[in-house]
């Protein structure tokens, strides 16, 4: 039985020759992601904006206007509705009751439940969450802080482990991955909650793992082939790690695809963010992080010199 090979042996793809085009595309996508996030904003979940979130599943897809009119007539505050998952599932957001009564929130939920069941028989509340404004503010602060510290920590680690060029290229690539994720959620208006923050941190971890594998191989080849042109050396290193990169991406893709299709709408945003992260993380590892090393002036001869009396392999071309 022949072993499955997703990438043939002796693959020699010229990634670096497309780096200028890749840099232009990356810059345009980054500007578009920042613009989308700034103009459209993120559809923040109740974790970040605070309030009461009710997830209602209707027997037949209702009219959003009819549901909104029904709830607003109850005097429990202005409702915000969003259809997601399937047409019969609606997310209802309401302000947290301004009361010291610990049962006030349950009273609102029961009031909305009774009113909707009267007009829409068969409706079921599948989820209710409540977050106060103070807690949501702390969650935003801690979430942003977690992502920023993760990116900076990884960049510093890469700088200390290798040379400063690796730290800069890793920082740029990870920031690119995070901005692409934010832009995706701004365009699709999928709910951005704590699950997505977890997805962003997972994307950062996945992306840095891919970059470390390629960076390690680049550094090894810089020691082995000290006279090789840097462009050829990076192409060689990326091609040598390509089977591992493709196999990892495909297997992760299969797992996340199953999660997206069968994991339910609660995990849909997380799975979508992770799928996007696999794509942009792989792209940035090859076309942003590695190719940027050339622009930053990394040269093989600046790394280790051969040990005295030890023969050193030399290669001047791919």
């Amino acid at each position: 039985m022949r072993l499955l090979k997703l990438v043939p042996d002796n693959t020699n793809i010229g990634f670096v020759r497309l780096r200028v085009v890749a840099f232009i595309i990356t810059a345009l996508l980054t500007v578009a992601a920042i613009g989308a996030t700034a103009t459209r904003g993120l559809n923040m979940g109740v974790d970040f904006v605070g309030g009461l979130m009710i997830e209602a599943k209707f027997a037949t897809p209702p009219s959003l206007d009819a549901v909104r009119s029904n709830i607003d007539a109850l005097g429990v505050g202005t409702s915000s509705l969003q259809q997601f998952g399937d047409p019969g599932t609606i997310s209802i957001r309401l302000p947290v009751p301004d009361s010291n009564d610990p049962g006030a929130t349950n009273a609102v939920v029961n009031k909305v439940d009774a009113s909707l069941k009267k007009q829409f028989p068969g409706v079921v509340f599948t989820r209710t969450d409540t977050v106060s404004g103070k807690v949501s503010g702390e969650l935003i602060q801690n979430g942003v802080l977690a992502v920023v510290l993760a990116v900076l920590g990884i960049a510093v680690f890469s700088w200390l482990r290798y040379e400063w060029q690796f730290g800069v290229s890793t920082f740029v690539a990870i920031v690119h991955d995070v901005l692409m994720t934010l832009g995706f959620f701004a365009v699709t208006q999928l709910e951005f909650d704590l699950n997505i923050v977890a997805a962003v941190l997972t994307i950062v971890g996945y992306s840095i793992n891919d970059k470390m594998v390629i960076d390690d191989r680049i550094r090894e080849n810089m020691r082995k082939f000290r006279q090789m042109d840097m462009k050829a050396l990076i192409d060689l290193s990326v091609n040598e790690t390509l089977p591992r990169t493709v196999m990892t991406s495909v297997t992760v893709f299969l797992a996340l695809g199953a999660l997206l299709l069968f994991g339910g709408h609660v995990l849909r945003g997380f799975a979508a963010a992770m799928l996007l992260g696999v794509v942009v993380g792989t792209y940035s590892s090859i076309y942003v992080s590695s190719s940027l090393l050339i622009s930053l002036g990394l040269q093989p001869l600046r790394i280790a010199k051969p040990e005295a009396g030890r023969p050193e392999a030399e290669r001047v071309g791919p």
Side-chain angles (χ1 to χ4, degrees):
M1 180 178 178
R2 296 183 59 185
L3 298 176
L4 175 64
K5 287 187 178 181
L6 298 180
V7 179
D9 293 333
N10 301 320
T11 298
N12 186 23
I13 301 174
F15 295 104
V16 172
R17 68 183 178 186
L18 299 175
R19 70 189 182 102
V20 176
V21 176
F23 286 165
I24 294 174
I25 294 175
T26 301
L28 292 176
L29 288 176
T30 302
V31 171
I34 294 173
T37 306
T39 56
R40 293 176 61 88
L42 298 173
N43 178 24
M44 294 291 193
V46 68
D47 296 337
F48 294 135
V49 297
L52 170 62
M53 196 282 283
I54 300 171
E55 184 180 295
K57 189 170 182 60
F58 292 78
T60 56
S63 162
L64 288 181
D65 290 337
V67 175
R68 185 178 292 106
S69 298
N70 183 302
I71 298 173
D72 290 348
L74 300 176
V76 292
T78 303
S79 63
S80 174
L81 308 183
Q82 184 184 10
Q83 203 170 42
F84 66 96
D86 59 83
T89 302
I90 294 178
S91 167
I92 304 167
R93 291 186 194 166
L94 291 168
V96 175
D98 186 16
S99 171
N100 294 326
D101 183 2
T105 300
N106 286 335
V108 170
V109 173
N110 292 333
K111 193 173 183 180
V112 174
D113 184 34
S115 180
L116 288 180
K117 281 182 176 174
K118 188 175 181 180
Q119 184 174 351
F120 306 97
V123 63
V124 176
F125 287 3
T126 55
R127 176 186 166 196
T128 59
D129 285 330
T130 306
V131 177
S132 70
K134 180 180 178 181
V135 173
S136 63
E138 293 175 353
L139 290 175
I140 291 177
Q141 182 179 351
N142 292 339
V144 172
L145 186 63
V147 174
V148 171
L149 289 179
V151 173
L152 290 177
I154 289 170
V156 170
F157 170 79
S158 185
W159 176 25
L160 296 177
R161 176 171 168 77
Y162 306 110
E163 280 69 33
W164 67 268
Q165 290 94 337
F166 287 95
V168 173
S169 65
T170 298
F171 177 80
V172 172
I174 294 177
V175 170
H176 161 268
D177 298 345
V178 173
L179 289 177
M180 288 298 105
T181 305
L182 294 179
F184 170 76
F185 276 88
V187 171
T188 61
Q189 287 295 294
L190 287 172
E191 187 173 283
F192 194 93
D193 54 19
L194 280 179
N195 287 334
I196 307 306
V197 174
V200 171
L201 291 173
T202 309
I203 290 169
V204 170
Y206 175 88
S207 183
I208 192 61
N209 181 54
D210 206 26
K211 290 169 180 55
M212 285 296 173
V213 170
I214 297 176
D215 287 351
D216 265 333
R217 185 58 57 93
I218 290 174
R219 204 159 185 269
E220 287 175 10
N221 286 335
M222 289 170 72
R223 287 195 178 108
K224 291 170 63 178
F225 311 121
R226 294 180 300 110
Q227 301 299 324
M228 183 184 284
D229 176 72
M230 197 62 200
K231 295 178 182 177
L233 189 145
I234 288 179
D235 270 343
L236 173 67
S237 304
V238 174
N239 278 288
E240 286 179 345
T241 56
L242 197 59
R244 178 262 180 205
T245 300
V246 173
M247 181 61 74
T248 303
S249 299
V250 169
T251 51
V252 173
F253 229 87
L254 291 175
L256 292 173
L259 198 62
L260 182 68
L261 293 175
F262 308 113
H265 57 271
V266 175
L267 295 176
R268 189 155 293 141
F270 178 86
M274 284 298 301
L275 280 172
L276 175 73
V278 171
V279 175
V280 298
T282 304
Y283 166 81
S284 65
S285 297
I286 296 175
Y287 284 107
V288 178
S289 177
S290 301
S291 297
L292 193 58
L293 293 173
I294 299 171
S295 303
L296 294 174
L298 188 66
Q299 295 293 330
L301 291 178
R302 296 180 183 175
I303 304 298
K305 295 181 179 179
E307 296 178 7
R310 179 180 175 181
E312 185 83 0
E314 286 291 353
R315 185 169 173 174
V316 295

